[in-house]
Amino acid sequence: MLLTISTTHSPATDIGYLLHKHPARMQSFKIAFGQAHVFYPEAHAERCTVALLLDIDTVGLTRRPHGRFGENFALAPYVSDRPYVASSFLSVAIAQVFSSALSSRSKERPELAETAIPLEAKLSILPCQGGEQLLRRLFEPLGYKITVERHILDAQFPAWGESRYFTVTLQNTCRLSELLTHLYVLIPVLDDEKHYWVDEAEIEKLLKHGENWLAAHPEHESIVRRYLKHLRPLTNQALAQLCDTDPQQTDETIQAAEEAQVEAPIGLNEVRLQRVTEALKQCGAKRVLDLGCGEGKLLRKLLHEKQFEEIVGMDVSHRALKIAHERLHYDRLPENEKKRLRLFQGSLNYRDKRLAGYDAAAVIEVIEHLDLPRLAALERVLFEFARPWTVVLTTPNREYNVQFENLQAGRFRHKDHRFEWTRDEFQSWATRISERFGYAVTFHPIGPTTEDVGAPTQMAVFTQKGQEKHIT
Ligand code: SAH
C-alpha cells in the first residue's frame, strides 16, 4: 500500500519539516497491524516527494480475534486485498506517523504549516465501489483536480471487465494538514471493509478531522454515513453534532464564555468558579466531569485540588477545547497530571456512554445556550443516562440584570443566550427535574446579593437520592 505526496513549493524539501521526517533518511514505524515506512523517492529544492509505504502483517491480521479475514469463507485470508489497497489502515498510519502535520503543528516551519502550497497526492491502489463518479463527488468540492485510472480485473482476461480498483492522483493548492485530514476521512469512506469498531469515539475523530470542511461539503451526509459504516443511530448523532458545531454558532458560544464583559465589574466569574469548586469538593467527588467546559477555567481550578483523581472536560466546540488544551499547557503537564485530565468533544444533547459512572458533574453557564427542546434532551442525557451522584449547575438570574450598569434594560447578558431565568423559573425547573429523575436539590445564590433581585448567578446542587451518604 503506497501513498506519495509531492510538492513544488520552493524549497520543496521543507515539507520534511512539516512531516517531521528528514528527507535524507528512511524511517520505519511499528503500527498495530504491521510496519509503516517513510522515505523520499525524490528530494530537490524544486520538487520533493515523500512516500508512506504500509507493510501489513497479513498473518497477524488473520489471528486477530475479530479479524476481517476468514469470516466469510475459508480461503478469505489468501485472496484478501487488504495488504495492497488504500484502506482505513492508511488513516491509522497517517494519524500515527504524521500526527503533527495532520494537526498543523510545526516547530521549525509554523508559517509554512499554515500556508497553502501546491500538493499532489498519489494513491497507488484505491478501491472504490462507487466508481469514478463517487471519487469526483468526494474530492472535487474540496478543490482537488483528480486524475483516475481504473484497473481491469485481469490483464490476461480483458473480457472479465473492470475492477473496483483505481490509481488516483489528487492535486490541490492547500495546507498540508488539509490534504492529510481529507485523506484521513475520505479513504475509509471509500473502503467498504473498515477494520475498526465504530462507536462514539469514531464520531469524535470524524468531527475533529472534518472540523473546517465537512459541514459545508455537499456530500457530507453520505460521507458521515459511510464513515460510520451505515450505522443509523451513530450517523444521526454525528450529523446532528456536525450542525451543532457550525462555525458561526461556535464562535458565538465562545464569545458567550466572555460575557465576562458584563459580569467583570463584580468579578463574578472567579467567585462562581470558586463556589462550584467548593461544592464539588464538599460532595466528596473524586471523578468529575465539567460539561460545556469552554476554555477550561474550571478545569484549571480542579487540577489544583488533589481530591479530584480524574477530571474530564467536554465541550461541543473543538475550538473551545483547543483553547482549553493550550491554556492548561496540557502538553507540558507532568505525566501524573496528564493522567488526571482528559478533554473530549461531545454534545450534551446526545446520550454518550463516556459520561457514565462519574461521581459529579459541573454544568456551568451552559443551559442558557440551549433552545428548550435541546434542554429537554440534556435533562435525560445528564440525569437519566450519565447519572452522576451530584450535579452542580449554574445559570444567570435574570432578575439581577437591572443591577448591571453596562447592560441595556430587557437584554440578556449575551446574544447567544436563549433564555435567562428568574429565581422562580429556575427553581421550579430544577425541582421538576429532581423529582422526575430521583434527585434532591438545594439552591445557592452566588455573587453580591440584594433583597429584591437576589444574586447574579444561581446555583443548584442536585444529589442522587440514596447517595446522600456520600455528601460530607
Ligand atoms: N463552563 C464554561 C463555559 C460556559 S460558555 C465556563 O463557565 O466558563 C458555554 C459553553 O457550553 C461553550 O463552551 C459551549 O461551546 C458549550 N456548549 C453549548 N452547547 C453545548 C452542548 N450541547 N454540549 C456541550 N457543550 C455545549
Side-chain angles (χ1 to χ4, degrees):
M1 208 317 295
L2 181 66
L3 162 72
T4 61
I5 298 176
S6 309
T7 185
T8 49
H9 177 82
S10 180
T13 41
D14 270 8
I15 196 175
Y17 289 113
L18 301 187
L19 294 165
H20 230 270
K21 304 284 172 291
H22 197 287
R25 287 178 58 201
M26 166 165 159
Q27 287 177 267
S28 298
F29 303 86
K30 208 174 153 16
I31 38 185
F33 41 84
Q35 288 236 306
H37 308 285
V38 179
F39 56 94
Y40 290 77
E42 59 179 341
H44 314 291
E46 306 76 48
R47 185 180 166 93
C48 183
T49 298
V50 63
L52 173 63
L53 177 73
L54 296 196
D55 186 4
I56 304 223
D57 173 12
T58 36
V59 178
L61 275 188
T62 57
R63 293 194 182 129
R64 283 157 80 108
H66 302 291
R68 297 292 322 164
F69 303 154
E71 279 176 1
N72 307 325
F73 66 110
L75 284 178
Y78 305 99
V79 294
S80 169
D81 65 2
R82 296 287 86 188
Y84 316 107
V85 307
S87 68
S88 52
F89 289 134
L90 180 59
S91 296
V92 177
I94 288 176
Q96 188 176 329
V97 176
F98 296 147
S99 65
S100 49
L102 184 66
S103 52
S104 214
R105 279 181 281 122
S106 169
K107 245 194 236 142
E108 287 97 351
R109 293 287 185 282
E111 292 110 55
L112 187 59
E114 295 302 330
T115 308
I117 57 175
L119 290 166
E120 181 181 294
K122 188 164 177 179
L123 292 146
S124 58
I125 299 288
L126 181 66
C128 177
Q129 204 72 56
E132 181 176 339
Q133 264 200 341
L134 176 62
L135 285 167
R136 292 195 180 282
R137 288 208 321 267
L138 292 180
F139 286 100
E140 284 178 347
L142 295 167
Y144 289 93
K145 183 167 169 289
I146 177 167
T147 319
V148 297
E149 181 196 342
R150 189 165 195 165
H151 296 281
I152 56 172
L153 261 182
D154 193 316
Q156 287 188 8
F157 303 98
W160 286 6
E162 290 179 320
S163 72
R164 63 188 180 108
Y165 300 111
F166 295 79
T167 296
V168 174
T169 309
L170 299 162
Q171 289 170 308
N172 202 356
T173 299
C174 61
R175 283 182 274 134
L176 178 62
S177 60
E178 288 175 297
L179 169 66
L180 291 174
T181 48
H182 295 154
L183 293 174
Y184 178 95
V185 170
L186 294 178
I187 289 171
V189 160
L190 293 165
D191 176 14
D192 285 333
E193 297 174 43
K194 287 171 267 301
H195 72 279
Y196 50 80
W197 175 252
V198 177
D199 58 13
E200 273 99 356
E202 273 326 304
I203 298 186
E204 194 184 334
K205 286 184 207 155
L206 172 64
L207 295 181
K208 176 169 168 217
H209 294 298
E211 186 179 17
N212 294 317
W213 57 275
L214 187 53
H217 195 296
E219 294 292 326
H220 68 266
E221 274 194 44
S222 68
I223 293 173
V224 169
R225 207 170 36 245
R226 285 166 159 262
Y227 187 94
L228 297 170
K229 292 192 178 174
H230 304 276
L231 293 177
R232 192 181 289 268
L234 289 178
T235 304
N236 290 346
Q237 180 176 340
L239 285 171
Q241 287 195 32
L242 199 59
C243 300
D244 274 357
T245 49
D246 169 63
Q248 209 177 340
Q249 189 196 332
T250 310
D251 272 357
E252 292 217 10
T253 19
I254 287 186
Q255 290 164 19
E258 286 162 18
E259 65 206 45
Q261 280 206 350
V262 177
E263 297 178 344
I266 53 172
L268 183 58
N269 194 36
E270 182 55 31
V271 181
R272 183 163 55 221
L273 296 178
Q274 196 54 44
R275 291 287 305 280
V276 169
T277 306
E278 280 160 20
L280 290 169
K281 274 170 76 178
Q282 261 180 27
C283 75
K286 295 198 169 107
R287 303 175 63 237
V288 291
L289 297 165
D290 181 7
L291 303 173
C293 63
E295 298 165 7
K297 294 188 188 118
L298 177 64
L299 295 172
R300 177 172 321 141
K301 282 210 174 314
L302 300 182
L303 271 174
H304 286 135
E305 302 292 338
K306 292 289 162 242
Q307 172 179 332
F308 304 121
E309 292 166 7
E310 188 181 338
I311 303 164
V312 171
M314 183 186 93
D315 203 284
V316 76
S317 154
H318 279 294
R319 245 189 82 203
L321 287 171
K322 206 166 157 198
I323 296 172
H325 197 273
E326 280 160 16
R327 297 223 172 130
L328 293 163
H329 303 295
Y330 184 85
D331 290 332
R332 281 186 272 143
L333 287 178
E335 265 326 296
N336 54 340
E337 292 291 281
K338 252 189 206 161
K339 275 196 204 125
R340 286 172 70 213
L341 176 67
R342 206 149 52 88
L343 298 174
F344 61 73
Q345 194 271 349
S347 168
L348 276 163
N349 299 129
Y350 305 97
R351 184 178 175 172
D352 186 335
K353 46 179 187 293
R354 292 174 300 177
L355 304 181
Y358 283 84
D359 302 340
V363 187
I364 307 309
E365 305 295 283
V366 174
I367 59 168
E368 63 275 12
H369 292 275
L370 304 180
D371 296 324
L372 291 178
R374 289 191 173 184
L375 181 63
L378 170 144
E379 293 164 10
R380 293 194 65 199
V381 168
L382 181 58
F383 292 96
E384 184 177 334
F385 300 120
R387 218 168 160 69
W389 295 344
T390 303
V391 175
V392 179
L393 185 146
T394 70
T395 195
N397 163 21
R398 190 178 73 217
E399 293 165 83
Y400 189 91
N401 286 356
V402 292
Q403 302 280 346
F404 288 119
E405 283 174 3
N406 47 359
L407 185 64
Q408 273 178 28
R411 299 289 288 272
F412 291 153
R413 294 181 204 180
H414 191 277
K415 62 176 187 302
D416 189 53
H417 285 183
R418 310 302 155 96
F419 59 84
E420 283 176 2
W421 277 335
T422 62
R423 283 167 294 174
D424 257 5
E425 283 167 332
F426 179 54
Q427 292 186 12
S428 58
W429 173 78
T431 307
R432 185 168 54 76
I433 295 305
S434 52
E435 280 165 7
R436 175 166 167 212
F437 295 105
Y439 280 75
V441 63
T442 54
F443 298 99
H444 313 262
I446 296 181
T449 308
T450 76
E451 213 169 291
D452 295 351
V453 295
T457 296
Q458 29 192 356
M459 173 166 85
V461 178
F462 300 82
T463 309
Q464 210 184 110
K465 291 218 170 110
Q467 300 290 353
E468 292 90 341
K469 62 178 182 300
H470 294 287
I471 308 280
T472 50

